[in-house]
Structure formats: structure tokens, C-alpha cells
Amino acid sequence: MALLTKKDANLILDPLADNNPITIQVLGICSALAITAELKASIVMAISVMFVLGLGNVVISLMRNIIPSKIRIIVQLVVVATLVIIVDQVLKAFAYELSKTLSVFVGLIITNCIIMGRFEAFALANGPWRSFLDGIGNSLGYGVILVIVGFFRELLGSGTLFGIPVLGNPIEKTGLYATGYENNGFMIIPPAALIVVGIIIWVQRSRNKALIEDN
Amino acid sequence: MLEHVELFFRSIFIDNMVFAVFLGMCSYLAVSKKVATAVGLGAAVIFVLAVTVPLNWLLDKYLLQDGALAWLGPEYADYNLSFLSFILFIATIATMVQLVEIVVEKFSPSLYNSLGIFLPLIAVNCAILGGSLFMQSRQIETLGLAFNYGVSSGIGWFLAILAIAAIREKIRYSNVPPPLRGLGITFIITGLMGIGFQSFGGMLTGGDDAAPPVEENTAVKTEEKKEIKKEIEEKEVSYNDVINK
């Protein structure tokens, strides 16, 4: 395809695995963990970040030659904050219940380290199209981890996916619950997210020895 | 007075910035390799939170809330500017961080040398913006309580980063499975500490009920304090076990 050269395609594919923003670059963990108790919230969060990072990268990349380097942090914060306000207003208008669940974490996209990190590391040095691809790639890598964590936490914690029961009814003891299976309430509390991410990192680094750290 | 005490302990232990809502995780993971640097960053976070939360409380009260502009005159009473809060809060924080940096550099060079490199980092620390946003969404009532909230959630963050830095210094000598080294084991330890901190949840259950008679309060409080001490001791023992293993 002429639209995406191999180099451009790598911009999208790299962050999905070996240069993942959460598990390798250690960015954007702040808002990633608190909202993953439900799969639906995780997906909405991932889409919001994709919107902000994709568009923000383009805007910063277009302005990269006219931003004085001393005040670039403030300029970046203003761009992100504007985009986040748009996301917040849209969520409040069309998905009010969900925006209550996400509460302050929509606002915290502003200080999500992935966004500032990609602005600094990529958008300030590259053209708009490549920056856009980089933004989409990194937010996809972020989204993948969010969806994996959300999937396991919702499935094991409440036996549902997207709020639909998939393992049977825990009160009437149907489905898997008939065999004596119980929901693991531990997966609902916040610290479980950290442990799930820890296990994802473990699996990823066992498969790719090059990523192992020294100490 | 009692509400101050309650808010103080609630923000440090129950709603701990790191263990309950995962705020400031990026710098928490990046700067926790040594205790000395962790202390520097922790102190800077307490300081900046103590300044920005009350400031943003004033902004929220007199500019942003529904009907907050009523002090300008009755014709302004219908305005609701709360959609602007993200951009105003982050602007306040960025400005204050810059200002604090300049003032500290001028009046206390020694403090500047120990905090210096961390201050610019703090502008994009989620714990700072999170403090202001939670202050807004929890509808904290007075300026004094807002100040209290800023200081105590800063102390909670400080405790968390101090604890993980101490553990990471020790864990260097243990035989961790290679794929878990560094980031992986830090995540899992933080998770375990978070589970420990969940047990503080039972500490202040009376918060939502009507205020009980005064005599009972003192008794309850001393009991609570004892409980806290016991919990901390227990935790230290279990951390030591983890480290020794």
C-alpha cells in the first residue's frame, strides 16, 4: 500500500508490543489502572486517549517551529487541556453514566505521561503525518493493555463482560457457578490492577529476553 | 476540629493517592530507586499540593462553580463556567510550580539544590492535578479543609514513595526471577502494599452518619489511633518478612 510505507507502519506496530507505552516505556500508568474494573470503561478511556494523543500530536507537530522552547510545556498543556475538555463535554452529553464512572480520570488525561512524553519525544521533531501515526500507535498500545486488564478484572471479579453475565448467574447457581465456582472479589479492588499489569510484564519479558532489566 | 482530623487520616491512609487511586504513578515508579531522591520528590509534592489545592479551591468557589459569579452582581448569577476547570487548574499548577521554583531559588539555595530538579517534573505529576480535581468533585467546604486535604494527600504520597524506595533498595540483593526484575516486581509489591492499605478502610466508618455525642468521640478516637499503630507495626513486620525472603 502506498499510503503506509514500511517505516510508517512500524510507527503503529512497535508500540503494540516491544515498545509498549505502559509495560516498556512506563508512561501513562496513572490513569490506566483505576478505571479498568470494567471492560466498557477501559475501552472508552482508550478511545479518549487515542483522540487526544492523535490530534494533539498533529497540532504540536504543526506548531513545532514556532513554539519557543522555554514555554513549550505550558503550550503543550494548553493544547491537551483543550482537547480533554472536548472529550469531557462529549462524554457528559452522550454517555453521562459512563462519565460518572470515569469521574476525575477524564481530566487526568491532561497529565497522562504518555501524552506529554510523545509530544516531547516525537511530535516536536517530526512532521504532522508521522506524528499522527505515532500518536495512534501509542494510544493503541495503551488501549491494548487497558483492554487486557479490564477483560480479566471484569471476568474474574464479577463474571460479566460489558455488564452481560457470561459465566452464569451467581445467585441461582447456574452455569459455571453450579460447579462451586465463586467470583473473586479481590479482582474488583484497585490493587488487583497493579498485580495484573505486573503479570503482563512478566509474561512479555519471558517471551522476549532482550527486555529484561539489570536489577 | 473533628472533621479536620477525619479528613487528615482519610486522605493519608484510606484514599491514599498511590494505593487507592493510582495518582502520580509515573514519577512514583521512575524516582523510587533511591530513598534520598524519593524523599526530595515527596517533600516537593507535599509543598506544591499544599499551595495549589487551596488556590484552586478559591478559583472553584469564586469563578467556576454554578452561580459562583454572583458576587459580581445579580446579572452574573446564572453563569456556570465549570467546563473551564481543567484548563484553569492546570494553568494554576504550572504557574505555581514555576513561581515556587523562582522563590525557593532566591531565598533558600540549599533547599533549591535538593528539590531543584524535581520541581519542573511536578507540573505534570497526576497527583497534583488529581488533588485539585478530587477537591472539586468531593465538594470540600472550607478553605481550611482544602489546605488540610492538600497537605494530607501529599503526606500520603510521600509515605508511599518512601516505602517503595526503601523496599527497592533492599530488593536489589534478592534473587528475583529475571523477567520480573525492575518494573514487574515493583508493580506487584505496590499491589501488595495497596491491599495492606485497603485494611485502613474500616478506620473511619462513622464519617457518613450523624455526629455522635462528644464523650463517645474521644473514646473512638483513641481506639482508632491504637488501631493505626497496630496496623503500622503489623505492616512493618510483614514488609520485613518480604524483604528477608
Side-chain angles (χ1 to χ4, degrees), chain A residues 23 26 28-30 33-34 81 85 89 104-105 107-108 110-111 113 186 189-191 194 201-202 205-206 212-213 215, chain B residues 20-23 25-26 29 83 86-87 90 124 126 129-130 133-134 178-183 187 190-191 194-195 198:
Chain A
T23 60
V26 207
I29 295 149
C30 329
L33 299 175
I85 289 176
Q89 296 294 314
V104 302
F105 291 96
L108 287 172
I110 298 174
T111 46
C113 329
F186 171 72
I189 63 171
L194 284 162
I201 292 174
W202 192 359
R205 293 187 183 187
S206 314
I212 291 173
E213 288 173 49
N215 66 32
Chain B
V21 282
F22 307 115
L23 295 182
M25 285 296 286
C26 299
L29 292 169
F83 67 94
F86 294 158
I87 207 162
I90 196 74
V124 287
C126 342
L129 182 63
L133 290 176
F134 272 122
L180 264 181
R181 274 177 203 164
L183 193 59
F187 265 104
T190 310
I195 294 168
Q198 291 271 314

Side-chain angles (χ1 to χ4, degrees), chain A residues 5 7-8 11 57 61 122 126-135:
Chain A
T5 61
K7 222 170 143 195
D8 284 349
L11 284 177
N57 252 359
S61 165
F122 202 91
N126 287 284
W129 173 240
R130 282 170 58 79
S131 304
F132 178 69
L133 292 179
D134 181 76

